[in-house]
Amino acid sequence: MASDHERLRALKAFDDTKAGVKGLVDAGVTAVPLYLPPPTRALPVDAEPHNFAIPVIDLAGAERAELVAQLKQQRRRWASSRLWNHGVPEDMLAEMLAAVRSFIEEPAEAKAPYYTRDFGRRVRYQSNFDLFQSPAANWRDSLYMEMAPDPPAPEEIPPACRGVAPEYVRLVRELYRALLGLLSEALGLRRGYLEQDAACLDGLNFAGHYYPACPEPHLTLGTTRHSDPSFLTVLLQDAVGGLQVLVDGKKWVEVPAVAGALVVNVGDFLQLVSNDDRFRSVEHRVVASSVGPRISVACFFRTSGAAASTRVLRPIVTGGESEARYRSTTVEELLRHYRAKGLDGTSALQHFKL
């Protein structure tokens, strides 16, 4: 095993190529490099993934009261659901996936101008946002775009994504607005509480992930075990699969892709605001595969930009609860802690628990 100094030097050389994991595959690597060590905390040690049905929410197939009741019933055990009749046309889903793939598969020199570790840039292409913080790197490259409240100018968006990403984001944001209303009611609050009083609609971070086929998938992960720094995450994935969610803290459940459907995951922000026992963020991971590439698009809904430094996340304590389970914090502080620790298999919320 390489020393810390040797690994850091190798990671720096890898990052300086600006070609990501895709560049390693294009160069013909036949093994996972030693400077990308196995994420031992995240790999299964005693069981294969269990196959259970992920709950389905049909937004056009039930009355509002029934949807709210469904969310209440699912909220403790399941923090991940499959959405139907979500308002995003199926051809647009396919177009969005194809656009992300097209960008990542461009020549390295065409992508290099977008490659950065500057979180202040609204459009960023990189391999592993936590490359120098996490104990293990993932087999994944990503395109990040801060799409709300202040989206990038059209010319800042990579040409491959320019024609579809803004409209896709607009439709997903309308879906999220509808979900916030349902969640507010499921929490026993008025319909507009999370959107208006808690300002949960402030920001949207777009992440297009590309997971190349891996020569040694048993030695790495596409994404390490984690929960998302968001209120909700709306996920689109292609047919390759690999997404798993953790149930009861011990069972990995496959979430296979279904054409035309989206997946919605509860994030850490909503767990904190709902005071822990009402909506729990979902721990999930993506396994590496010898088949690929796998493409996914995640829309993380959270306050971003300058407002993150002042937006306070505060637990909602209702009459039936005696006290808050988390200390109040700003979005900026939670994100800073999340990025500093990296995807190390632990929850960022532990840092804020009372």
Side-chain angles (χ1 to χ4, degrees):
M1 177 65 67
S3 69
D4 289 345
H5 176 73
E6 291 171 329
R7 179 172 182 260
L8 181 60
R9 186 169 57 184
L11 286 176
K12 183 68 166 59
F14 164 74
D15 199 46
D16 285 346
T17 69
K18 300 184 177 181
V21 175
K22 176 69 164 56
L24 296 177
V25 173
D26 290 344
V29 296
T30 58
V32 174
L34 292 177
Y35 55 82
L36 303 179
T40 53
R41 291 176 61 91
L43 291 175
V45 293
D46 57 2
E48 292 297 316
H50 294 252
N51 290 300
F52 292 102
I54 298 297
V56 174
I57 299 176
D58 186 343
L59 294 175
E63 296 295 329
R64 185 176 189 87
E66 184 179 342
L67 291 172
V68 171
Q70 189 177 357
L71 286 172
K72 286 182 178 180
Q73 182 180 14
Q74 293 176 2
R75 64 191 184 184
R76 286 290 295 170
R77 178 170 170 79
W78 296 99
S80 182
S81 301
R82 181 173 286 120
L83 297 179
W84 287 106
N85 291 309
H86 42 66
V88 186
E90 191 167 348
D91 58 349
M92 179 168 285
L93 301 179
E95 188 180 355
M96 190 68 260
L97 291 170
V100 170
R101 178 169 185 169
S102 177
F103 169 72
I104 302 292
E105 292 185 348
E106 289 179 357
E109 57 270 21
K111 296 177 292 185
Y114 300 97
Y115 198 95
T116 181
R117 298 203 172 274
D118 179 2
F119 286 107
R121 285 180 52 175
R122 288 181 293 186
V123 178
R124 307 182 301 277
Y125 163 58
Q126 59 189 211
S127 184
N128 289 261
F129 76 89
D130 56 347
L131 184 67
F132 297 102
Q133 289 80 37
S134 177
N138 294 155
W139 200 257
R140 180 192 76 242
D141 298 328
S142 304
L143 171 67
Y144 295 101
M145 296 190 288
E146 302 289 343
M147 299 299 289
D150 300 311
E155 61 271 18
E156 293 180 76
I157 300 174
C161 300
R162 197 173 294 164
V164 62
E167 179 63 9
Y168 176 79
V169 164
R170 185 187 71 80
L171 292 175
V172 172
R173 199 160 184 257
E174 286 304 306
L175 165 64
Y176 176 60
R177 186 193 301 272
L179 292 172
L180 283 181
L182 293 169
L183 288 167
S184 291
E185 292 181 58
L187 286 168
L189 306 167
R190 65 179 182 83
R191 183 180 300 185
Y193 183 88
L194 289 176
E195 176 184 343
Q196 298 162 12
D197 296 50
C200 295
L201 193 63
D202 280 1
L204 188 161
N205 176 263
F206 171 105
H209 297 308
Y210 183 100
Y211 304 82
C214 181
E216 295 180 306
H218 60 291
L219 290 183
T220 188
L221 284 169
T223 303
T224 311
R225 171 181 173 176
H226 70 290
S227 53
D228 293 334
S230 63
F231 290 103
L232 291 180
T233 301
V234 175
L235 178 71
L236 165 65
Q237 56 176 337
D238 68 7
V240 173
L243 175 65
Q244 299 175 350
V245 299
L246 191 64
V247 176
D248 297 332
K250 57 187 177 182
K251 294 179 289 191
W252 285 110
V253 177
E254 300 280 359
V255 186
V258 176
L262 293 169
V263 173
V264 60
N265 291 334
V266 171
D268 289 344
F269 290 14
L270 185 55
Q271 178 171 331
L272 188 153
V273 169
S274 69
N275 206 27
D276 192 48
D277 70 337
R278 287 175 285 180
F279 286 103
R280 305 293 298 274
S281 58
V282 59
E283 291 190 89
H284 54 289
R285 67 182 184 181
V286 176
V287 296
S289 174
S290 59
V291 177
R294 175 188 186 267
I295 314 295
S296 69
V297 174
C299 287
F300 301 99
F301 288 92
R302 62 175 182 240
T303 305
S304 59
S309 63
T310 57
R311 178 66 65 213
V312 176
L313 300 173
R314 183 177 292 108
I316 301 169
V317 180
T318 60
E321 297 168 313
S322 59
E323 59 185 16
R325 294 181 172 89
Y326 297 95
R327 68 175 175 86
S328 298
T329 182
T330 63
V331 168
E332 183 177 67
E333 182 186 9
L334 198 155
L335 283 175
R336 187 167 57 244
H337 173 68
Y338 182 90
R339 289 165 176 163
K341 79 177 191 63
L343 300 185
D344 62 354
T346 66
S347 171
L349 288 179
Q350 291 301 317
H351 183 68
F352 302 92
K353 194 102 174 174
L354 294 174

